[in-house]
């Protein structure tokens, strides 16, 4: 399982590639974090791009993240919410809170729908695990890429830039907007 295996190398390479994109490298507030597991293989490996002004951890806040399916047959690019702080709630209550928050955010980012992102709460990480179910519920907007139908690197970059642009726009907007103030509270609560 150590850091000298094929999966670890793939995730290091992916992390470095995302960090080197002009949109990411040119923004001092962005931090790229990846996980394929700590001590054990992760059921759902991920790579996230965090805005340090909002959160420095995937446990809370809203951020852009690639979620890889347990079956290894695809990956979702999502604008998602941290789940850790809600995991102490009963699962149905946590999922309801995530869905309510997601609906509020979707209303503020219509351009992602125009860019082909799905706004339904319908991602499927091909897992029965409780953590995977919470990740699925955390998705605000998503785009799926099957391993047999990956678009060009240019298309992947355009999609990532669209997600990052909308995320950054949300958190750089006027602080007097009540809806955005409520969204910021999601990030810190």
């Amino acid at each position: 399982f150590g850091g000298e295996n094929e999966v670890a190398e793939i995730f290091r390479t992916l992390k470095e590639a995302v960090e080197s994109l002009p949109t990411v490298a040119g923004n001092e507030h962005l931090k790229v974090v990846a996980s394929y597991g700590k001590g054990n293989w992760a059921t759902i490996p991920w790579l996230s791009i965090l805005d340090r002004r909002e959160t420095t951890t995937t446990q809370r806040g809203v951020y852009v993240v690639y979620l890889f399916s347990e079956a290894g047959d695809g990956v979702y690019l999502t604008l998602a919410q941290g789940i850790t702080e809600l995991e102490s709630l009963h699962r149905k209550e946590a999922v309801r809170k995530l869905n309510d928050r997601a609906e509020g955010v979707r209303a503020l980012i219509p351009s992602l729908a125009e860019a082909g992102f799905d706004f339904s709460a319908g991602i499927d990480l091909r897992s029965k695990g409780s953590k995977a179910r919470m990740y699925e519920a955390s998705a605000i907007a998503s785009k799926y890429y099957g391993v047999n139908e990956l678009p060009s690197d240019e298309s992947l970059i355009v999609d990532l830039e669209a997600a990052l642009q909308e995320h950054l726009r949300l958190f750089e907007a006027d602080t007097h907007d009540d809806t955005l103030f409520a969204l910021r509270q999601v990030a810190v609560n």
Side-chain angles (χ1 to χ4, degrees):
F1 179 79
E4 299 304 320
N5 62 58
E6 185 179 357
V7 173
E9 184 58 34
I10 289 169
F11 269 81
R12 268 193 296 278
T13 301
L14 178 59
K15 181 178 182 281
E16 290 169 3
V18 171
E19 287 172 330
S20 70
L21 294 172
T23 303
V24 177
N27 187 325
E28 67 185 6
H29 302 295
L30 296 181
K31 172 184 173 184
V32 180
V33 182
S35 179
Y36 53 88
K38 293 181 181 175
N40 292 311
W41 296 111
T43 304
I44 308 297
W46 51 264
L47 180 132
S48 65
I49 301 101
L50 309 174
D51 185 327
R52 289 182 184 101
R53 296 170 294 181
E54 178 192 349
T55 188
T56 57
T57 175
T58 58
Q59 295 181 358
R60 65 181 162 279
V62 176
Y63 49 87
V64 175
V65 61
Y66 288 98
L67 296 169
F68 295 83
S69 74
E70 181 176 355
D73 58 353
V75 60
Y76 286 91
L77 170 59
T78 68
L79 184 61
Q81 309 166 67
I83 62 167
T84 304
E85 293 178 348
L86 291 175
E87 285 182 309
S88 64
L89 297 175
H90 185 275
R91 184 169 169 253
K92 285 184 181 180
E93 179 65 14
V95 167
R96 186 192 62 75
K97 283 185 177 264
L98 288 166
N99 287 332
D100 289 349
R101 290 175 180 175
E103 282 303 314
V105 177
R106 288 180 190 124
L108 302 172
I109 56 170
S111 67
L112 277 184
E114 295 164 10
F117 281 75
D118 185 357
F119 277 20
S120 69
I123 75 169
D124 181 2
L125 295 170
R126 320 277 192 287
S127 176
K128 298 201 182 321
S130 60
K131 176 89 64 180
R133 295 290 181 218
M134 292 291 287
Y135 286 156
E136 290 169 350
S138 79
I140 296 166
S142 65
K143 199 170 234 194
Y144 179 74
Y145 310 105
V147 294
N148 296 322
E149 51 199 31
L150 286 172
S152 68
D153 287 353
E154 293 79 19
S155 293
L156 291 168
I157 291 167
V158 165
D159 291 343
L160 176 59
E161 287 176 345
L164 286 170
Q165 181 178 19
E166 282 304 295
H167 177 262
L168 293 172
R169 188 187 61 74
L170 283 170
F171 288 93
E172 292 174 350
D174 185 358
T175 57
H176 298 294
D177 184 312
D178 290 337
T179 306
L180 291 177
F181 177 77
L183 179 59
R184 284 190 192 93
Q185 297 310 302
V186 170
V188 295
N189 293 328

